[in-house]
Amino acid sequence: MSHLVTAAELAHEIEDVVVIDVRWTLITAGQDQPGPAEYAAGHVPGAFFVDLDTELAAPPGDGGRHPLPDPAVVEAALRRCGVSEGTRVIVHDGKESYAAARAWWVFRWVGLEDVRVLDGGFAAWERAGLPVSTEVPEPRHGTFVARPGSMPTVDASGAAELARTGLLLDARAAERYAGEQEPIDPVAGHIPGAVNLPTATWLTDEGTFRRDLAEHWAGVNSPEGNSGARPVAVYCGSGVTAAHEVLALSEIGIDASLYPGSWSEWIRDPDRPVATGSAPG
């Protein structure tokens, strides 16, 4: 079953699901966080807002820029949105589903079984000419109980091992992987042995997932192929866009693990090796 829904499909079932808006933009110098303001200006009718930085991640620290959140915080956010056992949830962000994929992954990690992503985000909803609301729904009182650990993860040691014996994917842009540019983290480069597969390559220009995901995967996979015999894990800068790649792989039947700390955790230990250049190293 696909983890994606179209705007038309969401409109058809909107009375039977909980919609969660997680619009978010990576904060850089001189840029504010637009998610709450965008939500206030207009959102899918009945949608609740959940903040990625404070409810889908723990504070930055030794675990990286977006460590895994406290399960109790995620539980409280879901309950506020009216989520209980068996509730069907659809998450979305502004367009490309990077933040929505993080929400999809985190919610599944705490044990929420039926959670899907609005393909193309709020942009797809607006493009379809569907109604927009500024009314903020009242908090609800769901009874969902978090069960963390329901999605596979690897730590730094596990990521290093997979780079040697499995397939470790780096979801960042090619120039960051190569160490040619690093606009966020203090060290440039990649985990030695990791293969670069930018998560943006899974998308169309409209921000929806490509319809030829399997063919795309076959075209970029390592020369010896990956039939599922080798384990796969994904990392990025801080575990957000890596979740997007995990979602894309899930759509074609590949269960990839996430390295939540990702590059921003890896470089906190100066003894961990760093590779540069376009080759895995």
Side-chain angles (χ1 to χ4, degrees), residues 206-245:
E206 291 186 334
T208 57
F209 281 88
R210 297 166 56 146
R211 296 295 173 252
D212 62 341
L213 294 179
E215 290 82 359
H216 174 60
W217 172 243
V220 299
N221 199 4
S222 53
E224 64 269 26
N226 184 64
S227 63
R230 291 189 300 159
V232 180
V234 189
Y235 79 96
C236 58
S238 66
V240 174
T241 56
H244 186 272
E245 195 144 298

Side-chain angles (χ1 to χ4, degrees), residues 126-146:
E126 288 191 303
R127 195 164 54 245
L130 293 164
V132 172
S133 174
T134 57
E135 182 178 351
V136 177
E138 291 293 326
R140 298 180 184 173
H141 303 283
T143 59
F144 177 78
V145 176

Side-chain angles (χ1 to χ4, degrees), residues 13 30 71 85-86 96 110-111 116 147 158 163 177 180 186 191-192 215 217 226 230 232 239-240 243-244 259 268 274:
E13 61 178 337
E85 294 299 327
E96 292 92 353
V110 296
R116 291 170 292 161
R147 302 179 299 278
Y177 171 85
E180 297 168 357
I191 297 173
E215 290 82 359
W217 172 243
N226 184 64
R230 291 189 300 159
V232 180
V240 174
H244 186 272
Y259 175 19
R268 285 181 175 268
V274 170

Side-chain angles (χ1 to χ4, degrees), residues 30-128:
Q31 188 175 49
D32 295 325
Q33 168 63 275
E38 290 183 341
Y39 172 81
H43 50 263
V44 174
F48 292 84
F49 183 78
V50 169
D51 184 68
L52 188 151
D53 287 313
T54 60
E55 296 179 295
L56 301 178
D62 290 341
R65 285 186 280 109
H66 289 104
L68 290 183
D70 182 339
V73 173
V74 183
E75 180 182 279
L78 287 170
R79 288 186 175 191
R80 186 185 78 242
C81 299
V83 177
S84 300
E85 294 299 327
T87 299
R88 296 157 61 194
V89 173
I90 294 178
V91 296
H92 75 84
D93 56 24
K95 182 179 179 182
E96 292 92 353
S97 298
Y98 297 142
R102 170 73 178 210
W104 168 84
W105 191 94
V106 168
F107 292 161
R108 296 190 73 207
W109 174 69
V110 296
L112 184 61
E113 294 183 356
D114 193 347
V115 53
R116 291 170 292 161
V117 172
L118 172 58
D119 196 15
F122 190 66
W125 181 266
E126 288 191 303
R127 195 164 54 245

Side-chain angles (χ1 to χ4, degrees), residues 153-154 156-169 192-194 230-234 257:
T153 62
V154 295
S157 296
E161 178 64 22
L162 273 178
R164 293 190 297 268
T165 63
L167 185 59
L168 179 65
L169 299 173
R230 291 189 300 159
V232 180
V234 189
S257 299

